Structures are given as C-alpha cells and as structure tokens.
Amino acid sequence: MLIYLRVLRESFRFAINALRNNKLRTFLSLMGVTVGIFSIIGVLAAVDSLEKEIKGSLSSLDQSTMILAHVSFGPTDIPRWKREQFPLVDYDDFQFLNRSLPDVKAMSYILNVPSQTIKYDEEVVEDVGIGATTDGYYEIEALKFEVGRYFNEAESVSGASVIVLGNEIRNQLFGEGVNPLGKKVKMYSRKLTVIGVLEKEGGGLFDDSKDEIVLVPVNLTRKIYGDNNRSTFPQIVLLPESGVDGDEFVAVVEQKLRNSRGLKTGEVSNFFVNQLKGFTDFIDNIIGFLTGVGWGIGGFALLVGGFGIANIMFVSVKERTNLIGIQKALGAKSRFILFQFLFESILLSIFGGLIGLFFVWAIATGLSAAVDSFTFVLSAKNVLLGLSTTFFIGIVAGIIPAIGAARLDPVEAIRTGM
C-alpha cells in the first residue's frame, strides 16, 4: 500500500513539473478536457435547474390534472385553420360537466383576464395579475393560506365582490404581516372585500408565483369580459378522483361534451382534453434531448482533450526514457512504471476537469445572483459525474503510453536516453 502512495506522490510531482516546464503545451492539451467538462456539466446543470424549476412550478398540481380548452397543448393532426374555428369552452360547458361528470374530485372554470390596478386608500399597486376562477380551484391547486379562506360555491356562482390577495400584494397595500381581512380594496371600479391572503410562495421561472396575483370569482369577471372573448382563454381544469383510469376518464369527458355540443359520430371533437401527465412527459423528452446535445458537444471536446493528454504522456515517456531505464535497472517492476505514468495521466485529466467544474460553478453562482426568479444548481451528482468522466479520460489517454513505458528494456532505455 505504501509503495502505491509513493507512486501517487511521485506521479503528482512529475505532473506538476510537466505543467511548469511545458506550460503552453500542457495548457492547450488540458483545454480540451476543460472545455469538454464545462460543456457537459454546464448543460447538465442548466437542464437540471430548468427541470427542477418547471416541475417545482407544477408541483402544486396533481399529475392526473386535465385542462379542457379549445386549443391543444401538444402536437395535433387537426389543421390550424380548423382549430381556429373551434368554439370557446364556456361557463355552460362547465356547469354541464359539473352536474353530470362522475369520478371528479375537483373542477374549476378559469379565465385569463388582463392585469389590473388595485387601490387601498392612498396605496396603489399596478399591473397585478388576476386569477378568475370558480371555487374548485382551491382544491386543484392545493392553496395554502396565511390568513382567511377561499371563496365558497355561493360566492363563486353569484360573482360576489370578494378577493384573495397574494402575499406580496398584501404587503404592498397594507404592509408586511398586517391582517387585511374584511378590508375593502378597489378594482374594476368597485369595492372588493378581502377574505384571504395566500402563504408566501417565492419567485417562479415564468413569473407564475401567486405572491403577486389576486384571485376573484370567475363570474365577477364574466360580467365585464363576457363569454365569447378569445383573449381571456377560457378553460376547465379537471381533477379526477384518486385511482380513476386517466384514459377512461378522458373518454367519458369527450363523450359527454360531444353529446352536449351535438357532435355526430365521425365529426372531429371541437375541443381538447390536455393531460398534465402528457405535458410533463413532453418536458422530460425535451430535457432528455438537451442532455444528449450536451454530451454530444462535450464529447468532441473530451475526445480532443484525451488526444492532447495522450500526446503529453507520449512526450513524457520519450523525455524520461533514460530515467525509466535507470529505475528498472535498480529493480523497479513494470507495474510500478505503468502506474507511475497512468497516475500522471489521470491527475492531468482531473486537473483539467476541475478547471471546467470551477467555471461551471462560477457562472452558475453569478447567474443565480443576477436572476432573482431562477436558481442555477451545480449538484453533487453532476460534480461526481464530471470527476468520474475525467478519471475515465485519464485512464484511456494514459494507458497506451504507460504500457509502452512499462515494457521498455532497461538497457535499451538507458542507451536511448544517453
């Protein structure tokens, strides 16, 4: 064991000497490994961060959630001109499904209405996002409240003048930590009573944090925007009961809505049931593709880096041929010479990999500090993967020169080096 530690120490010394004595050659050779690891681990870190942020944004939704709308969230065979003629999903569709659809845990009708200005006394908050929903949205999104509650079915149906505030909106209107329940804010030229404040959620990748929005009954906004306004993108969000087969549930939804709309057999459904699970699968496919691209780009750089390190090792063997002969003449075994050069190759490769990992860490740290709503993560898994890859490159690049050095005849090696 001690002899191998000595080999490691000597190899490290030789590697450092190689760096010092041939700075430009070593730098150019290690750049391949550095760029390769930077490309691979950089892409993997970015993809992991993106995946974590997207799935974190969707974490409040059950994977069985479905969105009924006049557009498809994925590829479809229906031509665009035909899709543009599809009628909007309206409140009557929601009421019909809410009465007749079995195995539903929660259902909500949602309108995406324009941002508004909210006032309370002298305080004004502009460009506030509005969530116009029915009462079922509470259960679908698993909303958490700091104080108060969500509006109930009666308030939803009547379009009552009530409002739920995001945490940041509450802070801007009333001050941090103030309980605003029962107070009235002004929006849509009317006074709305505050009935709840959501728990603080933090920033989101797509500015989708509920901290900076307010929630109101959808029937309140229907009075203002009407039922045939495509800019509001009406949709019905469905959450089936636990254990219900997703495909069967979709088939039931389609059949009931087709019957309600009077579509005949053979006619194309003029709506889409978009499944959240399908959307997350689509995201996984994109992430897999991006990961493959990262490995492809970095692989070429690593190949160049491997050749560079192999070149250094061949030159190193050539320069130290006389020393190898003397070591063998003094009794050094072939495996000692083999491990000496192999360790040197691995150390050089890992050194290049560490530089690449440092650049990834520095850029990730800088971007995380610059972008408030997104955190770039260099995980321990990716660091370990980077080091493992450089270790493998070091072995592959150094094995042939190391074997060549180990097989040298001591007499011929001393004679050649003289």
Side-chain angles (χ1 to χ4, degrees), residues 140-262:
I140 291 171
E141 281 279 352
L143 297 176
K144 296 179 180 179
F145 282 77
E146 181 178 301
V147 291
R149 60 176 178 84
Y150 204 59
F151 41 85
N152 55 39
E153 184 178 1
E155 292 167 331
S156 175
V157 171
S158 66
S161 297
V162 294
I163 188 169
V164 173
L165 304 180
N167 205 278
E168 185 59 30
I169 301 300
R170 184 276 308 273
N171 294 343
Q172 293 182 48
L173 287 175
F174 301 96
E176 189 168 352
V178 174
N179 186 345
L181 297 186
K183 295 181 180 179
K184 297 185 182 295
V185 298
K186 192 171 184 180
M187 187 176 74
Y188 292 132
S189 300
R190 65 183 71 191
K191 292 184 177 180
L192 307 179
T193 303
V194 178
I195 61 171
V197 177
L198 299 175
E199 280 189 5
K200 188 172 182 61
E201 200 173 68
L205 174 61
F206 304 108
D207 293 329
D208 57 350
S209 170
K210 295 183 182 64
D211 292 344
E212 299 183 354
I213 69 167
V214 297
L215 299 164
V216 297
V218 73
N219 282 345
L220 177 65
T221 58
R222 284 179 62 226
K223 298 172 184 176
I224 300 169
Y225 296 99
D227 285 325
N228 197 29
N229 190 334
R230 285 188 174 268
S231 66
T232 61
F233 193 80
Q235 56 192 284
I236 299 172
V237 182
L238 303 160
L239 178 61
E241 291 283 2
S242 177
V244 172
D245 184 86
D247 293 335
E248 291 183 7
F249 186 81
V250 169
V252 173
V253 172
E254 290 180 341
Q255 188 58 51
K256 284 190 173 295
L257 195 53
R258 284 178 60 86
N259 292 339
S260 174
R261 291 188 171 187

Side-chain angles (χ1 to χ4, degrees), residues 41-309:
I41 304 305
V43 170
L44 291 180
V47 168
D48 285 353
S49 302
L50 184 64
E51 180 180 19
K52 180 180 178 182
E53 194 71 24
I54 292 174
K55 291 188 174 179
S57 299
L58 298 174
S59 61
S60 61
L61 292 174
D62 192 298
Q63 288 295 298
S64 61
T65 302
M66 302 173 189
I67 300 175
L68 181 62
H70 64 285
V71 298
S72 173
F73 294 172
T76 175
D77 295 331
I78 301 175
R80 181 176 178 179
W81 65 266
K82 195 165 188 175
R83 282 181 277 137
E84 289 177 345
Q85 297 177 359
F86 284 0
L88 299 177
V89 174
D90 58 25
Y91 191 72
D92 289 338
D93 292 328
F94 165 73
Q95 286 183 309
F96 169 75
L97 292 175
N98 200 30
R99 290 193 307 266
S100 63
L101 195 62
D103 302 320
V104 179
K105 183 177 181 180
M107 184 187 306
S108 180
Y109 184 68
I110 299 174
L111 294 181
N112 293 290
V113 296
S115 301
Q116 294 291 319
T117 296
I118 300 180
K119 299 179 180 180
Y120 176 73
D121 290 341
E122 301 301 320
E123 299 296 331
V124 178
V125 182
E126 298 180 343
D127 197 29
V128 178
I130 310 297
T133 77
T134 54
D135 57 291
Y137 185 76
Y138 169 77
E139 192 165 3
I140 291 171
E141 281 279 352
L143 297 176
K144 296 179 180 179
F145 282 77
E146 181 178 301
V147 291
R149 60 176 178 84
Y150 204 59
F151 41 85
N152 55 39
E153 184 178 1
E155 292 167 331
S156 175
V157 171
S158 66
S161 297
V162 294
I163 188 169
V164 173
L165 304 180
N167 205 278
E168 185 59 30
I169 301 300
R170 184 276 308 273
N171 294 343
Q172 293 182 48
L173 287 175
F174 301 96
E176 189 168 352
V178 174
N179 186 345
L181 297 186
K183 295 181 180 179
K184 297 185 182 295
V185 298
K186 192 171 184 180
M187 187 176 74
Y188 292 132
S189 300
R190 65 183 71 191
K191 292 184 177 180
L192 307 179
T193 303
V194 178
I195 61 171
V197 177
L198 299 175
E199 280 189 5
K200 188 172 182 61
E201 200 173 68
L205 174 61
F206 304 108
D207 293 329
D208 57 350
S209 170
K210 295 183 182 64
D211 292 344
E212 299 183 354
I213 69 167
V214 297
L215 299 164
V216 297
V218 73
N219 282 345
L220 177 65
T221 58
R222 284 179 62 226
K223 298 172 184 176
I224 300 169
Y225 296 99
D227 285 325
N228 197 29
N229 190 334
R230 285 188 174 268
S231 66
T232 61
F233 193 80
Q235 56 192 284
I236 299 172
V237 182
L238 303 160
L239 178 61
E241 291 283 2
S242 177
V244 172
D245 184 86
D247 293 335
E248 291 183 7
F249 186 81
V250 169
V252 173
V253 172
E254 290 180 341
Q255 188 58 51
K256 284 190 173 295
L257 195 53
R258 284 178 60 86
N259 292 339
S260 174
R261 291 188 171 187
L263 296 175
K264 299 177 182 178
T265 303
E267 286 186 291
V268 175
S269 295
N270 54 8
F271 56 87
F272 295 95
V273 182
N274 302 284
Q275 295 180 267
L276 186 61
K277 185 180 183 302
F279 181 64
T280 55
D281 289 344
F282 179 67
I283 291 172
D284 289 339
N285 290 335
I286 293 177
I287 287 171
F289 172 76
L290 292 176
T291 301
V293 169
W295 275 103
I297 294 172
F300 284 108
L302 283 176
L303 184 63
V304 174
F307 282 124
I309 291 176

Side-chain angles (χ1 to χ4, degrees), residues 12 27 30 66 218 330 356 403:
F12 183 75
F27 172 75
L30 292 184
M66 302 173 189
V218 73
L330 293 175
I403 291 174

